[in-house]
Amino acid sequence: MEVINALGRRKTAVARVYMSKGKGKISINKKEMADFFPIDVLQAKVNQPFVLTDTVGKYDIKVNVAGGGINGQAEAIRLGISRALVEVSADYKPLLKVEGLMTRDPRMVERKKPGQPKARKKFQFSKR
């Protein structure tokens, strides 16, 4: 198995995932996962595809991620890993799809409109 690459996106975060056989080492932007995501919840999000498919410790992951916040980046990485696992074996797809990991979350920040302070908020209306 050579290197499998996949793309994951969430909001404005874009993660390029490179997966190869290995011992389960995950490096994100040339840092260890524990250094990049110090919060356990975000680490759990990144590891979720491996836990669901019982492949913990079988693949090394290298990720380049940019844009968005840390939560969006974690979810973008999760989608990229899920897509890479499906390329390895199509049997994983139903397991990941049930948990919603194969779906690209389309929700984006709504743009600010002219004549308003924010996307939906209006300036204070004065009758007199």
Side-chain angles (χ1 to χ4, degrees), residues 8 12 15 17 26 40 45 52 55 60 70 73-74 77-78 80 87 96 112-113:
T12 56
V17 176
I26 299 175
D40 294 335
K45 278 186 182 183
L52 291 171
T55 54
D60 283 346
I70 55 170
Q73 288 183 347
I77 292 168
R78 180 174 71 178
E87 276 189 48
L96 295 167
K112 182 198 170 298
K113 283 31 164 237

Side-chain angles (χ1 to χ4, degrees), residues 41-57:
V41 175
L42 299 178
Q43 290 178 24
K45 278 186 182 183
V46 171
N47 283 320
Q48 192 178 1
F50 295 122
V51 173
L52 291 171
T53 56
D54 294 322
T55 54
V56 178

Side-chain angles (χ1 to χ4, degrees), residues 107-120:
R107 294 176 295 175
M108 300 286 275
V109 176
E110 193 173 331
R111 79 175 202 86
K112 182 198 170 298
K113 283 31 164 237
Q116 296 174 201
K118 291 164 96 179
R120 302 223 172 174

Side-chain angles (χ1 to χ4, degrees), residues 6 8 10-11 15 23 26 31 39 45 47 50 62 68 72 75 85 91 93 97 100 105 109 114-115 117 127:
R10 172 74 171 94
K11 292 188 176 181
K23 301 216 182 335
I26 299 175
K31 293 182 185 176
I39 302 164
K45 278 186 182 183
N47 283 320
F50 295 122
K62 284 184 182 170
E75 292 187 15
L85 283 170
D91 300 336
K93 191 166 185 175
K97 199 171 175 104
D105 194 340
V109 176
K127 202 165 197 174

Side-chain angles (χ1 to χ4, degrees), residues 52-53 82 85-86 89-102:
L52 291 171
T53 56
S82 300
L85 283 170
V86 168
S89 172
D91 300 336
Y92 296 144
K93 191 166 185 175
L95 299 169
L96 295 167
K97 199 171 175 104
V98 167
E99 293 294 318
L101 300 188
M102 292 304 297

